[in-house]
């Protein structure tokens, strides 16, 4: 089985390693890199996997997942470029960094696949969007899809859509957390104890998400099914419409997409400087 190295085992990197182990990969097939020896020791004892340097990971792994923060990428890429084997596949989880940036630094012809995951990877429920770079083919995309399937769902999109993906599913969990927080506040306003309000809303969110995920119907039909004539739900919907909640969501997600484009450009400018 292929050896996989995770470069930067922070929140997302650790979630991926843990998901790979749960998905049946053997600890002997996994490597990771970390800057701090205490963190490396913690991961080695928790998962039985080996911490190595970036150079050693480049020499030993068939597939390398880069999971450092985008601002930490330069030294990692420089080290990778020195030791990478010609057939290795590089997978970037770094938000906003184009595959072309990796291709410019890594040896000519290195296949690179860009991924936008999200934080539900921590509970095995990520939504990841993958885009092949110019030297990656369908087989490389299949390998990455296989890899990420043990921590959630995977979809392939053209790289030009990654800013939209970032705004929608990359930031998406935050919008749901925000909504849940506001609904719990509403429960408090209505006089419910916080713990009760929290339980009511979190379980309603889980139930609604499960219905959507299991294909119980289109969201419009599911909402209509709980919106009876002159009932309570339609009164709430009228207020949501009056306050422009739908328009606010459209504008918010568009603003997130614009910021993602801006951050990508800022990185390109700093590379050229
Ligand atoms: N969290 C999210 O919601 C999310 C969503 C989508 C994509 N992503 C992407 O996933 C990547 C990881 O994010 P994260 O939230 O997991 O960040 P994180 O918790 O900060 O993890 C990054 C890890 O990489 C380590 N590291 C940095 N430079 C290194 C080097 N030269 N050699 C070895 N290890 C190094 C860091 O160590 P130190 O602790 O010493 O810095 C840290 O443990 C980012 O590129 C981010 O854009 C994150």
């Amino acid at each position: 089985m292929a050896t996989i190295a995770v470069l930067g085992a922070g929140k997302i990197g650790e979630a991926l390693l843990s998901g790979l182990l749960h998905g049946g990969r053997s600890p002997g097939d996994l490597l990771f890199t970390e800057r701090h020896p205490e963190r490396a020791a913690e991961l080695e004892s928790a998962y039985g996997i080996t911490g190595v340097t970036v150079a050693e990971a480049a020499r030993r792994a068939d597939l390398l997942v880069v999971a450092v923060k985008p601002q930490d990428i330069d030294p990692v890429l420089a080290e990778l470029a020195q030791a990478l084997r010609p057939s290795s596949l590089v997978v970037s989880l770094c938000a906003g960094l184009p595959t072309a940036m990796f291709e410019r630094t890594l040896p000519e012809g290195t296949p690179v696949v860009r991924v936008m995951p999200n934080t539900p990877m921590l509970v095995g429920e990520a939504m990841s969007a993958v885009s092949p770079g110019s030297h990656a083919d369908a087989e490389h995309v299949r390998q990455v899809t296989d890899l990420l399937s043990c921590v959630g769902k995977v979809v392939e999109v053209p790289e030009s859509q990654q800013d939209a993906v970032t705004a929608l599913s990359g930031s998406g969990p935050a919008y749901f957390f925000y909504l849940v927080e506001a609904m719990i506040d509403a429960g408090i306003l209505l006089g419910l104890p916080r713990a009760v309000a929290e339980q009511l809303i979190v379980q309603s969110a889980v139930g609604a998400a499960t219905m959507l995920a299991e294909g119980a119907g289109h969201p419009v039909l599911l909402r209509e099914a709980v919106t009876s004539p002159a009932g309570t739900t339609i009164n709430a919907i009228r207020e949501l419409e009056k306050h422009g909640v739908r328009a606010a969501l459209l504008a918010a997600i568009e603003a997130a997409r614009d910021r993602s484009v801006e951050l990508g450009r800022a990185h390109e400018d700093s590379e050229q400087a």
Side-chain angles (χ1 to χ4, degrees):
M1 200 173 251
T3 299
I4 297 164
V6 173
L7 313 183
K11 289 182 286 297
I12 290 283
E14 181 179 356
L16 180 59
L17 287 166
S18 160
L20 289 169
L21 289 168
H22 277 114
R25 304 261 176 176
S26 139
D29 294 331
L30 302 177
L31 301 168
F32 71 91
T33 71
E34 255 306 314
R35 287 200 278 217
H36 301 293
E38 329 75 80
R39 170 72 179 154
E42 186 187 311
L43 292 167
E44 286 187 341
S45 88
Y47 300 105
I49 49 178
T50 311
V52 294
T53 61
V54 173
E56 191 177 347
R59 279 193 295 273
R60 289 176 54 185
D62 307 293
L63 191 156
L64 297 105
V65 182
V66 185
V68 300
K69 290 277 190 207
Q71 62 268 26
D72 291 329
I73 191 66
D74 293 336
V76 175
L77 269 189
E79 239 186 302
L80 254 190
Q82 296 298 314
L84 199 65
R85 292 176 1 215
S87 58
S88 299
L89 169 59
V90 174
V91 179
S92 164
L93 305 187
C94 304
L97 301 187
T99 53
M101 196 208 104
F102 286 77
E103 290 167 356
R104 276 195 293 276
T105 316
L106 297 175
E108 178 61 29
T110 302
V112 180
V113 174
R114 173 173 169 183
V115 180
M116 185 66 206
N118 65 11
T119 50
M121 189 187 280
L122 302 173
V123 292
E125 290 290 351
M127 182 67 243
S128 302
V130 304
S131 305
S134 54
H135 308 301
D137 59 23
E139 173 55 22
H140 296 123
V141 171
R142 192 198 58 75
Q143 282 179 45
V144 179
T145 302
D146 258 18
L147 183 87
L148 295 166
S149 296
C150 48
V151 284
K153 301 261 192 299
V154 189
V155 68
E156 182 182 347
V157 299
E159 191 167 4
S160 57
Q161 292 179 0
Q162 282 284 0
D163 290 310
V165 167
T166 302
L168 214 60
S169 56
S171 301
Y175 313 146
F176 288 108
F177 297 143
Y178 179 87
L179 194 64
V180 163
E181 183 197 332
M183 289 171 81
I184 292 170
D185 271 353
I188 308 293
L189 181 72
L190 303 187
L192 294 172
R194 181 167 289 278
V196 173
E198 211 171 293
Q199 195 182 357
L200 293 174
I201 293 305
V202 171
Q203 181 53 26
S204 298
V206 170
T210 306
M211 287 176 79
L212 287 166
E214 289 182 354
H218 187 280
V220 171
L221 295 177
L222 294 176
R223 181 176 59 72
E224 281 177 3
V226 283
T227 311
S228 43
T232 54
T233 309
I234 192 64
N235 272 277
I237 301 284
R238 180 184 57 188
E239 291 303 312
L240 291 171
E241 295 296 350
K242 207 155 82 186
H243 289 86
V245 173
R246 184 184 299 264
L249 281 169
L250 295 176
I253 292 173
E254 197 174 37
R257 189 274 319 270
D258 292 348
R259 182 65 181 144
S260 176
V261 171
E262 207 173 273
L263 289 172
R265 284 207 193 109
H267 201 278
E268 293 225 322
D269 290 348
S270 75
E271 224 195 327
Q272 280 156 15

